[in-house]
Amino acid sequence: MSANPLAPEWLVLPADANGLAPEVWPRSARRDEDGVLAVGGASAIALAEEFGTPLMVLDEAEVRRRADEAFAAFTGAAQRHGTTARVYYAGKAFLCTEVVRWVADAGLAVDVCTRGELEIALAAGIDPGRIGFHGNNKSVSELERAVAVGVGSIVLDSRIELERLAAITERLGVVQPVFVRVNSGVHAETHSFLATAHEDQKFGLTLEDAGPAVARIRELDGLEFRGLHCHIGSQIFGVSGFRESASRVLELHAALLADGPVPVLNLGGGFGIAYTSADVPTPIAELAEGIVAAVAEECAVRGIPMPQLAFEPGRSIVGTGGVTIYEVGTIKDVVVDAAADGETPRPAVRRYVSVDGGMSDNARPALYGAQYSARIASRDSHEPAELVRVVGKHCESGDIVVDNEYLPADITPGDLLAVPVTGAYCAVLSSNYNAVPRPPVVAVQDGHARVIVRGERLEDLLARDPGIDLGAQRERHTTERSATADRGEA
Ligand code: LLP
């Protein structure tokens, strides 16, 4: 076996294309004596038989372990620096009642950003006081509902929203704790961060505008100012962006202390995870210690007390717990010129492996150019590895599932393929593109599997079109089936 010149530099030709790299698979992932992949003790073949494919599998123990780790990391670091930390699970990464219960068991609060997410969190039975409500354009009815149920905090994102919420609290005669989201001018992504005077994005108030907004909140009986909130991006690998942002936000935080209490500082989420072996994120405990230590230093420099802290991890809790199982449908070798511009042509083969899902169940490659890895799940193979591109079934050339991966050369239609690290921002970003029903999400634990988000049936989709008479369709299908049976056809 040899490396394919079409492969990106970071993709290493594996010694064993059946291997399950520990950084991207749930801890429970293993191959049984027949080479079949099992997650949470449940075999990929059995799962596919019971629930069909594509299928999103969520390893309960992995999610619980990561929630425990995040709780310990942030509360431990806070304690070492003389304060406390509240850890919110950012529900936008993946939300259903079951997951809310898992993270609540780990001591986490939950952050939601729409009425829908709020209702899921409430339905799970979490104390509303442990819910934080975000979003740059919450509607009046969303705010009313949040206040009425008594959410623990609302993160204000604009002056317009501040006045809207003030009117609601006045009408209801209640006091609502609030944060003010600020835009620190720091934007961080993976390895690097960018710091500008003003970041060009929609969230929060500038540091200059936030001061007057806090002064206004302090005038109002219905709003209780809890502190500043800042979220600098997602899939961040290092501490430096958080440090720069905290330093800027603490400048304002210190100034605000002159006119009243500022009990909490919320630094948001964004803690990165590995999607492929090329990613080397900082472990959560190290990240937490680095960020909290940076906040402590910045407070010491300004001679202000360490505030209580809050964090909002999403992806790092739920990402690595998710594995999507697909079935391979077709395989096609395409000859591509691997030569750089001006070089002599160098033909190379790119093998396209098509699976039965795609950008409708994982939009991240199409949306962000996100990279993933894959393994054959239904068996192992000792054939040499070949470079493949795993693609979906949608009518779009950007419908890529795994851009580049080495898989055994004998991969064939009917094989099950598993893609790890699909727990965050996949199911929640799924769509019905090309009238494809969304797959179920199944939790696995100790060999048991149960549906935690029901899959859609084609009927669910057809029922949205008022031009389709489902009753008549069902009847026609029944008639067609009995006619087929009469002709003795299968
Ligand atoms: N807090 C706030 C205010 C946020 O906006 C977000 C994510 C989080 C916390 C959680 O960030 P995390 O720890 O999950 O990185 N769909 C994109 C990511 C969008 C993130 C949106 N905000 C993706 O799939 O990469």
Side-chain angles (χ1 to χ4, degrees):
M1 67 180 149
S2 61
N4 184 317
L6 295 172
E9 246 168 58
W10 60 263
L11 183 65
V12 180
L13 182 68
D16 174 13
N18 306 295
L20 305 171
E23 59 272 25
V24 293
W25 290 89
R27 259 190 204 173
S28 71
R30 49 185 45 89
R31 290 188 184 274
D32 67 16
E33 57 280 9
D34 300 322
V36 179
L37 173 75
V39 178
S43 126
I45 294 181
L47 289 168
E49 270 170 13
E50 185 172 357
F51 303 102
T53 54
L55 177 67
M56 158 74 80
V57 178
L58 198 59
D59 183 327
E60 179 173 345
E62 183 75 18
V63 176
R64 285 183 180 274
R65 180 171 70 79
R66 295 212 173 225
D68 287 338
E69 273 178 13
F71 185 81
F74 288 108
T75 57
Q79 200 179 16
R80 281 190 293 280
H81 293 275
T83 186
T84 59
R86 174 172 261 205
V87 187
Y88 291 85
Y89 167 62
K92 62 201 81 176
F94 175 71
L95 202 64
C96 66
T97 52
E98 190 73 26
V99 166
V100 173
R101 285 185 208 109
W102 302 347
V103 298
D105 284 350
L108 271 55
V110 173
D111 129 29
V112 300
C113 66
T114 60
R115 171 82 191 255
E117 289 185 356
L118 173 62
E119 294 305 331
I120 294 172
L122 291 171
I126 191 168
D127 170 5
R130 290 174 65 194
I131 297 178
F133 195 16
H134 271 286
N136 68 302
N137 188 18
K138 307 175 209 61
S139 69
V140 170
S141 74
E142 284 178 314
L143 291 169
E144 279 170 349
R145 174 75 175 149
V147 172
V149 301
V151 299
S153 62
I154 294 181
V155 181
L156 293 172
D157 199 90
S158 66
R159 284 300 292 255
I160 291 177
E161 185 179 61
L162 191 168
E163 298 303 332
R164 272 185 197 147
L165 187 63
I168 293 167
T169 54
E170 196 179 339
R171 203 167 59 245
L172 298 179
V174 295
V175 178
Q176 175 62 53
V178 295
F179 283 82
V180 170
R181 178 156 179 178
V182 293
N183 173 351
S184 65
V186 174
H187 182 80
E189 223 169 75
T190 306
H191 307 287
S192 60
F193 75 89
L194 179 84
T196 57
H198 298 293
E199 209 208 336
D200 189 2
Q201 49 99 335
K202 68 177 182 174
F203 293 108
L205 281 80
T206 62
L207 289 167
E208 296 81 58
D209 293 343
V214 173
R216 172 74 182 135
I217 292 168
R218 284 173 166 161
E219 284 169 14
L220 294 159
D221 293 336
L223 302 185
E224 178 201 336
F225 179 61
R226 298 290 299 153
L228 299 172
H229 173 285
C230 187
H231 170 79
I232 59 168
S234 201
Q235 185 59 358
I236 302 168
F237 281 8
V239 172
S240 50
F242 289 103
R243 174 189 288 271
E244 175 64 27
S245 180
S247 160
R248 293 174 178 212
V249 176
L250 279 164
E251 195 67 33
L252 174 62
H253 177 105
L256 293 172
L257 281 170
D259 297 313
V262 189
V264 187
L265 175 65
N266 186 330
L267 291 172
F271 317 109
I273 59 173
Y275 279 91
T276 71
S277 47
D279 292 332
V280 186
T282 312
I284 194 85
E286 229 174 277
L287 214 47
E289 179 57 36
I291 296 169
V292 177
V295 172
E297 277 170 38
E298 295 292 334
C299 288
V301 166
R302 292 174 177 79
I304 57 170
M306 188 69 172
Q308 296 161 41
L309 298 172
F311 297 93
E312 300 169 340
R315 188 195 310 268
S316 52
I317 306 279
V318 85
T320 315
V323 175
T324 305
I325 300 176
Y326 301 98
E327 185 178 322
V328 175
T330 65
I331 292 171
K332 198 182 279 179
D333 285 350
V334 176
V335 179
V336 179
D337 185 4
D341 277 351
E343 276 181 12
T344 353
R346 191 153 61 122
V349 172
R350 190 185 309 280
R351 178 163 294 178
Y352 279 87
V353 172
S354 294
V355 296
D356 52 357
M359 63 193 293
S360 54
D361 58 80
N362 185 358
R364 298 192 70 259
L367 273 178
Y368 318 112
Q371 301 291 328
Y372 285 87
S373 68
R375 286 290 175 250
I376 296 180
S378 41
R379 62 187 174 95
D380 56 8
S381 160
H382 300 290
E383 288 293 307
E386 293 275 7
L387 184 74
V388 305
R389 173 169 288 166
V390 182
V391 294
K393 64 177 289 166
H394 295 280
C395 284
E396 196 154 319
S397 51
D399 173 27
I400 289 168
V401 177
V402 183
D403 204 19
N404 288 286
E405 177 60 294
Y406 281 107
L407 288 178
D410 62 349
I411 184 162
T412 190
D415 278 338
L416 297 178
L417 196 76
V419 174
V421 207
T422 55
Y425 303 111
C426 289
V428 288
L429 265 169
S430 62
S431 76
N432 291 127
Y433 185 37
N434 298 141
V436 167
R438 281 173 291 194
V441 183
V442 162
V444 289
Q445 167 88 317
D446 300 330
H448 299 292
R450 63 192 195 286
V451 172
I452 57 171
V453 177
R454 181 173 75 71
E456 284 168 330
R457 295 173 298 247
L458 185 55
E459 249 190 20
D460 295 327
L461 264 62
L462 301 184
R464 301 186 67 212
D465 185 335
I468 298 177
D469 179 345
L470 276 179
Q473 266 226 342
R474 243 176 261 129
E475 214 165 280
R476 197 169 61 241
H477 285 160
T478 317
T479 325
E480 277 165 10
R481 261 201 303 276
S482 50
T484 312
D486 286 348
R487 288 199 302 273
E489 294 168 14

